[in-house]
Amino acid sequence: METVMQTTTAKRVRSVRPVGTRAVLAELDGLQDVLALQDMLYKSPLPGQVDVLAAAETVMVVGESAAATRAIGARLMELELFAPEVTDSGLVVIDTVYDGDDLADVAELTGLSVDGVVAAHTGQIWTVAFAGFAPGFGYMVGENEVLTVPRRSSPRTAVPAGSVALGGQYSAVYPRRSPGGWQLIGRTGARMWDLDRSQPALVRPGDRVQYRAVREVVTAGASAREPETEHHTESGLRILNPGAQSLIQDLGRRGFGPLGVSAAGALDRASLRRANRLVGNAPSAAAIESVNGGLTVEAVGDQVIAVAGAPSTLTIQSPSRVESEESDDGDRPGAMRTVPMATPFALLDGEVLTLGAPESGFRNYVGIRGGVDVPEVLGSRSADTMSGIGPGPLMAGQELPVGEDTVSTAVGEPELQPKFPGAGVTVLDVVPGPRADWFEPEALDSLCDQEWLVTPQSNRVGMRLDGTPLKRTREGELPSEGTMAGALQIPPAGLPVLFLADHPITGGYPVIGVVRDEHLDLAAQVPIGGKIRFRLVPDSPSFTTTFTKTPEK
């Protein structure tokens, strides 16, 4: 329903669009309004607010539940926007050597001399509007637009860490070596992202920044770290074969979107919780997420284990035994037995557990009583494959210590598991928008009327789907805006990418729909080569509102 406001001159949110059932996207009249709303939501969070993701023209607010999100959407439409207070505190100075590969090109594009570019870049205060692309990458907007330049027509495959760059109306520093299409004008030794600091990001949204020209880069020293040594645990699991990919996952890290950090965490959250519940752990205890079977682990000390997720054959082999020094047989393999899924069992010291290939589904979760005790990063033990935050992929010979993350003195009863995707078609519910209006009216029908194939290019960042491409009605680029797990982003080729837990927090391709949060666990279990059909959720809540303002005098 459209609401029209004609009697007020107060700055307000222009419209609010649903992003699935757990987020809303507030559209604003410009970056200053974005900064104002972002500042207000940081200082006075709305009830149920989990995360705030500001971008060029929008602010996405993530709620803790569907009901909380609906209330947030309604409240956003009522807010009056007030510019954030500007103070002299918190000014971050970034020493920069201006010798970038694109400095001369920027001078030509702006009509300035090289010295004029340096003077313009250092002679104004920049404000970090929002974060994205990578942890520590802050989009900074200046006080004037003299340095507004287009991105390179051909992005570089590798931009060195510390590169100072311009792109559109923004300036930024690349925190790590990565691909990039911005114009490089200099370099700095400032550490833009350092997990050993109490505040990992050197600059955060709302911070004020000034670049200072220097002749030589001085690299800030990293925090002292303990030397890498081979670690042997007294109690836990030893990885004998990690399979295709095995990672440590918990329920993820929330609330760090403004720093450019996605939630990550287990893709099938229900299976992680089930494995933890069966061994008496807290729901968020860290476990092993393994893909497509092949994982083999050895118990170091007696352990209590449960495996949930894709139904697989679980085989346990007892330690080999030497009969005697005179025996010609030497080592003999120990006894073999199988144990059921979704049931707690003992894995005694030296016994080896092997996960077979799934009969259906794609991912398993191996819970160990006490949880896997690896260091927390930003409040979570989960591995984020896109940003590199958290523990790396498991390797053969690695030992995982057991923790103390239990909530019960007893283990759980065996549980029935849901049906997992097999050879048939998996149906996922999807809420239209927030950018369905970028497509032909028939595009939503095409999205839901065909079967989409999950391609081998899929990973924890997103599932790449193949089928009949969807046609857009709008040309050009969509200004980057917040994204979330479940978003169906449509690149120019028209083939959807279904974002999963390690997705980038902002994106510039239109999102035609968002898979309901309740179906993301199911999506995580669709194997490579599996098929998906989308089903529109009827009568999904709409927050779209248009405000007509009285012209200011």
Side-chain angles (χ1 to χ4, degrees):
M1 177 179 177
E2 184 177 274
T3 302
V4 179
M5 307 287 292
Q6 295 181 324
T7 59
T8 179
T9 59
K11 300 284 285 183
R12 292 180 182 269
V13 170
R14 176 159 50 88
S15 66
V16 179
R17 297 171 180 254
V19 184
T21 57
R22 298 295 178 92
V24 288
L25 189 71
E27 296 183 299
L28 299 122
D29 286 335
L31 187 56
Q32 294 307 313
D33 287 357
V34 168
L35 295 174
L37 179 58
Q38 176 182 243
D39 183 69
M40 292 172 65
L41 294 175
Y42 284 170
K43 292 178 178 177
S44 301
L46 299 177
Q49 174 182 311
V50 173
D51 214 344
V52 175
L53 300 173
E57 299 175 1
T58 60
V59 175
M60 191 176 83
V61 186
V62 181
E64 63 184 9
S65 66
T69 302
R70 288 193 293 271
I72 289 171
R75 181 71 183 109
L76 285 172
M77 294 189 295
E78 302 171 354
L79 290 179
E80 294 186 6
L81 304 179
F82 300 96
E85 295 182 4
V86 178
T87 66
D88 291 332
S89 61
L91 181 67
V92 178
V93 177
I94 298 179
D95 289 339
T96 303
V97 175
Y98 287 91
D99 60 358
D101 291 345
D102 302 319
L103 185 58
D105 291 340
V106 170
E108 183 176 350
L109 288 167
T110 59
L112 301 172
S113 65
V114 168
D115 289 342
V117 171
V118 175
H121 198 247
T122 58
Q124 59 180 310
I125 301 297
W126 299 80
T127 301
V128 182
F130 54 94
F133 179 65
F137 189 98
Y139 291 77
M140 307 176 201
V141 61
E143 297 170 316
N144 59 62
E145 298 182 357
V146 65
L147 293 179
T148 298
V149 292
R151 293 171 174 82
R152 288 170 52 88
S153 57
S154 177
R156 292 179 170 90
T157 57
V159 174
S163 294
V164 177
L166 297 170
Q169 69 186 105
Y170 303 106
S171 180
V173 180
Y174 284 80
R176 58 187 294 189
R177 181 181 177 87
S178 59
W182 288 29
Q183 308 279 0
L184 307 185
I185 62 172
R187 52 195 170 91
T188 180
R191 298 180 66 84
M192 304 305 293
W193 181 259
D194 186 351
L195 285 168
D196 289 328
R197 293 191 300 237
S198 59
Q199 294 290 349
L202 181 64
V203 297
R204 295 176 292 171
D207 284 353
R208 299 163 66 245
V209 176
Q210 185 162 30
Y211 293 93
R212 181 169 59 191
V214 297
R215 295 182 177 180
E216 184 179 355
V217 165
V218 177
T219 302
S223 303
R225 289 179 178 268
E226 293 294 327
E228 296 290 336
T229 58
E230 187 176 0
H231 176 74
H232 294 284
T233 183
E234 296 181 357
S235 179
L237 295 174
R238 180 179 295 113
I239 307 300
L240 301 184
N241 184 350
Q245 184 185 59
S246 293
L247 302 166
I248 303 300
Q249 297 292 347
D250 54 21
L251 291 180
R253 47 184 68 86
R254 300 283 177 177
F256 295 98
L259 301 184
V261 179
S262 63
L267 294 191
D268 182 352
R269 297 157 297 180
S271 290
L272 173 77
R273 291 188 178 102
R274 181 175 294 108
N276 278 325
R277 186 165 58 244
L278 287 166
V279 296
N281 285 347
S284 60
I288 300 175
E289 177 185 88
S290 188
V291 174
N292 209 30
L295 174 68
T296 302
V297 298
E298 179 185 358
V300 180
D302 295 348
Q303 308 299 335
V304 176
I305 304 291
V307 182
S312 309
T313 299
L314 308 180
T315 304
I316 295 177
Q317 180 174 346
S318 300
S320 58
R321 307 179 188 281
V322 178
E323 297 298 325
S324 68
E325 292 183 1
E326 292 80 15
S327 173
D328 294 332
D329 295 335
D331 288 348
R332 293 181 178 178
M336 302 278 289
R337 71 180 191 276
T338 60
V339 291
M341 294 282 301
T343 301
F345 58 87
L347 192 68
L348 302 180
D349 184 36
E351 291 188 326
V352 173
L353 169 68
T354 299
L355 277 61
E359 301 164 13
S360 60
F362 196 49
R363 289 180 168 88
N364 295 114
Y365 292 84
V366 180
I368 180 171
R369 181 167 175 80
V372 178
D373 187 16
V374 296
E376 289 189 352
V377 180
L378 299 179
S380 169
R381 294 182 170 88
S382 63
D384 184 340
T385 59
M386 183 171 182
S387 69
I389 292 175
L394 299 186
M395 299 181 296
Q398 183 176 355
E399 294 185 0
L400 302 176
V402 66
E404 299 179 353
D405 203 358
T406 58
V407 293
S408 172
T409 57
V411 298
E413 296 290 334
E415 296 187 15
L416 292 175
Q417 293 204 112
K419 183 178 180 181
F420 287 89
V425 178
T426 302
V427 178
L428 302 177
D429 287 346
V430 61
V431 178
R435 299 299 176 187
D437 54 351
W438 275 60
F439 299 85
E440 294 180 348
E442 297 80 14
L444 278 173
D445 292 336
S446 179
L447 175 71
C448 297
D449 289 345
Q450 61 177 298
E451 296 175 359
W452 296 94
L453 180 70
V454 179
T455 70
Q457 289 72 40
S458 303
N459 52 34
R460 282 182 49 91
V461 175
M463 298 172 69
R464 294 184 178 272
L465 308 179
D466 193 19
T468 302
L470 305 180
K471 295 182 180 180
R472 284 169 43 170
T473 57
R474 298 191 190 184
E475 300 297 329
E477 296 182 1
L478 174 72
S480 292
E481 57 190 27
T483 64
M484 63 184 304
L488 283 165
Q489 194 178 72
I490 313 295
L495 297 176
V497 178
L498 172 55
F499 278 168
L500 298 179
D502 292 359
H503 66 89
I505 67 163
T506 59
Y509 297 133
V511 172
I512 193 172
V514 181
V515 172
R516 287 178 63 91
D517 185 76
E518 295 80 359
H519 274 197
L520 287 179
D521 293 344
L522 182 60
Q525 291 291 354
V526 180
I528 301 299
K531 295 180 180 180
I532 290 174
R533 182 182 289 272
F534 296 107
R535 178 176 57 197
L536 286 185
V537 178
D539 301 323
S540 57
S542 175
F543 303 110
T544 301
T545 302
T546 302
F547 293 90
T548 303
K549 305 180 180 67
T550 301
E552 297 182 4
K553 298 181 179 179

